């Protein structure tokens, strides 16, 4: 990220000088920094609303209920773990919180899940197990029901119908999630055979 | 099918919100107070990403103002135009695995420069909304339990990211063109 940032600024000065648009480059610093503040301030409202609603879901135990619903699927996916492992509830809570866009609440669950997975680990302490890789892949695929920040930015910028992106996003995120699970399974098999 | 899914897009948010509220009322959660308690975090979340937004939006706008994107899009992005992918979305695809805040910054820059109802804005909304920062997740989760040999975790994460981008292009063509 450091190199990308430096590259963007330096190259825009050089290219601006080359194309004779240096004035526009300088102007864009002022207009765009004001724009950045405008976007962030606009986000406060919608993020606040969504985090408020989700807090109710958290307190009422709805997230817990949701995580119970998905745990049978988890047992199927993480078949290397003992059936009563405490990792399951943490994984389920992590995925449920992520699905609602509660990234900050999801991270502690995720870290607890990883710690549980480490307890079940039969390998060296600094080596990832298949279950860990699977859990990580599920997280990086970023399964999300409501992309609150994205909706917020569209609303702030005056989109006519911002919620129309919800279903397309859901389809993409769900298929990437399923793809991640299958790829992990395939890699888990391939890696084992290579090790032999 | 497309009309039905568009209708679903409109309904899903009110349904989820109502469901959460009804369930909260049934479980006797003090809805108003709990809402306010959670909403406070909206302020912190937004303020926390402000510096990132400034860094990214300013540097990307400078880059665009210099005419660099036109120079590049003419030469390099002929293929992208061929599969109807707006050239503006390329930086987004490159950063989405690296930094969530940067992706959000580039996304808002695209929305502001191409208009909130443009195809580029919609495609990048789907890409941004469906992504999670692979490198960040890897660093936080494996860092927390001291994993150094990550095996195939990164490869699978990046493959899933790549798959997500293609899926987004495909799905958006179906919905928005």
């Amino acid at each position: 990220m450091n190199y990308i940032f430096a590259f963007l600024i330096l190259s825009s000065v050089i290219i601006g000088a080359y194309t004779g648009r240096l004035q526009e480059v300088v102007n864009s610093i002022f207009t765009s920094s004001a724009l950045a503040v405008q976007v962030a301030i606009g986000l406060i409202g919608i993020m606040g609303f969504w985090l408020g609603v989700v807090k109710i879901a958290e307190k009422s135990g709805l997230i817990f209920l949701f995580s119970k619903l998905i745990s049978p699927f988890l047992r199927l996916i993480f078949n290397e773990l003992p059936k009563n492992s405490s990792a399951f509830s943490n994984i389920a809570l992590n995925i449920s919180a992520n699905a609602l866009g509660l990234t900050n609440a999801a991270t502690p669950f995720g870290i607890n899940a990883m710690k549980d997975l480490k307890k079940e680990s039969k390998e060296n302490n600094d080596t990832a197990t298949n279950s860990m890789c699977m859990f990580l892949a599920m997280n990086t695929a970023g399964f999300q029901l409501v992309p609150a920040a994205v909706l917020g930015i569209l609303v702030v910028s005056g989109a006519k119908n911002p919620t129309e992106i919800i279903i397309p996003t859901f389809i993409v995120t769900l298929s990437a999630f399923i793809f991640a699970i299958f790829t992990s399974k395939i890699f888990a098999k391939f890696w084992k055979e290579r090790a032999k | 099918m497309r009309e039905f899914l568009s209708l679903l897009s409109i309904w899903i948010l009110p349904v989820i919100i109502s469901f959460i509220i009804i369930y909260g009322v049934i479980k006797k959660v003090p809805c108003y107070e709990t809402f306010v308690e959670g909403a406070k975090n909206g302020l912190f979340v937004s303020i926390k990403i402000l510096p990132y937004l400034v860094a990214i939006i300013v540097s990307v706008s400078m880059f665009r103002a210099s005419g660099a994107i036109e120079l590049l899009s003419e030469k390099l992005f002929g293929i992208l135009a061929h599969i109807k992918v707006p050239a503006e979305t390329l930086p987004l695809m490159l950063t989405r695995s690296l930094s969530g805040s940067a992706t959000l910054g580039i996304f808002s820059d695209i929305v502001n420069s191409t208009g909130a109802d443009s195809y580029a804005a919609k495609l990048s909304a789907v890409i941004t909304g469906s992504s999670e920062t692979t490198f960040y997740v890897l660093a936080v989760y494996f860092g927390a339990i001291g994993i150094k040999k990550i095996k195939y975790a990164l490869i699978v994460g990046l493959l899933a990211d790549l798959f997500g981008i293609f899926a987004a292009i495909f799905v958006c063509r179906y919905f928005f063109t």
Side-chain angles (χ1 to χ4, degrees):
Chain A
M1 221 41 233
N2 290 327
Y3 290 111
I4 298 173
F5 181 68
F7 167 78
L8 282 175
I9 295 204
L10 296 177
S11 65
S12 51
V13 172
I14 294 165
I15 296 172
Y18 168 72
T19 54
R21 290 218 226 162
L22 215 48
Q23 183 64 50
E24 280 94 330
V25 173
V26 175
N27 289 346
S28 75
I29 296 176
F30 301 110
T31 51
S32 61
S33 49
L35 180 76
V37 174
Q38 207 183 318
V39 170
I41 298 289
L43 268 183
I44 295 175
I46 182 73
M47 286 310 280
F49 175 78
W50 184 245
L51 292 174
V53 169
V54 171
K55 190 83 188 175
I56 298 175
E58 208 183 323
K59 272 246 170 99
S60 64
L62 193 62
I63 292 185
F64 186 71
L65 190 81
F66 188 61
S67 66
K68 262 193 171 161
L69 275 175
I70 57 172
S71 49
F73 298 101
L74 293 179
R75 280 182 224 291
L76 210 67
I77 296 165
F78 292 91
N79 53 6
E80 287 181 4
L81 290 179
K83 287 262 180 291
N84 55 359
S85 170
S86 57
F88 283 118
S89 61
N90 278 322
I91 292 172
L93 285 168
N94 168 268
I95 291 171
S96 316
N98 261 333
L100 287 169
L102 273 178
T103 322
N104 288 334
T107 309
F109 292 135
I111 290 173
N112 284 340
M114 278 294 183
K115 284 186 177 147
D116 292 338
L117 291 178
K118 194 170 185 178
K119 266 183 237 150
E120 312 283 359
S121 163
K122 292 177 194 76
E123 297 190 45
N124 291 332
N125 264 339
D126 62 346
T127 309
T129 63
N130 286 332
S131 305
M132 288 177 190
C133 291
M134 170 64 80
F135 178 55
L136 202 82
M138 288 164 86
N139 253 286
T140 59
F143 177 63
Q144 219 178 12
L145 270 175
V146 180
V150 170
L151 284 174
I153 288 175
L154 284 176
V155 173
V156 173
S157 316
K160 274 194 217 102
N161 188 7
T163 52
E164 69 184 345
I165 62 131
I166 291 182
I167 289 294
T169 306
F170 177 74
I171 297 172
V172 171
T173 187
L174 182 67
S175 54
F177 187 70
I178 295 168
F179 175 85
I181 291 171
F182 276 103
T183 337
S184 298
K185 281 281 175 221
I186 293 166
F187 267 91
K189 207 165 189 182
F190 171 75
W191 222 264
K192 220 186 280 169
E193 276 160 19
R194 216 187 69 157
K196 277 176 196 168
Chain B
M1 186 67 179
R2 205 166 117 171
E3 283 75 22
F4 170 73
L5 289 174
S6 302
L7 202 68
L8 201 62
S9 274
I10 298 171
W11 274 91
I12 192 159
L13 207 51
V15 167
I16 292 177
I17 293 171
S18 315
F19 187 74
I20 289 174
I21 301 278
I22 291 169
Y23 194 81
V25 171
I26 292 173
K27 289 279 163 184
K28 299 203 170 57
V29 172
C31 285
Y32 176 71
E33 285 156 36
T34 312
F35 178 90
V36 172
E37 192 191 325
K40 270 184 208 151
N41 293 321
L43 188 66
F44 302 128
V45 171
S46 309
I47 295 301
K48 220 169 91 186
I49 63 169
L50 176 61
Y52 298 97
L53 282 179
V54 172
I56 299 299
I57 293 185
V58 171
S59 57
V60 173
S61 308
M62 284 172 72
F63 192 66
R64 210 187 35 250
S66 72
I69 297 208
E70 284 96 330
L71 279 180
L72 283 173
S73 29
E74 278 166 26
K75 286 170 186 149
L76 284 171
F77 301 148
I79 311 154
L80 287 180
H82 193 67
I83 51 171
K84 293 200 178 68
V85 176
E88 294 90 348
T89 56
L90 194 74
L92 191 79
M93 297 173 186
L94 296 177
T95 51
R96 60 163 262 173
S97 307
L98 293 171
S99 160
S101 323
T103 307
L104 214 54
I106 295 174
F107 167 61
S108 48
D109 180 72
I110 292 170
V111 172
N112 282 295
S113 61
T114 64
D117 291 309
S118 68
Y119 181 65
K122 284 169 187 167
L123 176 60
S124 36
V126 173
I127 292 176
T128 310
S130 62
S131 76
E132 183 64 63
T133 325
T134 299
F135 283 92
Y136 172 80
V137 173
L138 191 84
V140 170
Y141 285 176
F142 277 2
I145 54 166
I147 295 291
K148 291 197 187 76
K149 297 187 183 103
I150 61 166
K151 293 210 289 198
Y152 52 87
L154 182 63
I155 305 172
V156 173
L158 292 178
L159 278 176
D161 287 347
L162 195 66
F163 176 87
I165 289 173
F166 282 113
I169 292 169
F170 187 76
V171 170
C172 282
R173 272 177 76 172
Y174 176 74
F175 275 94
F176 301 130
T177 52

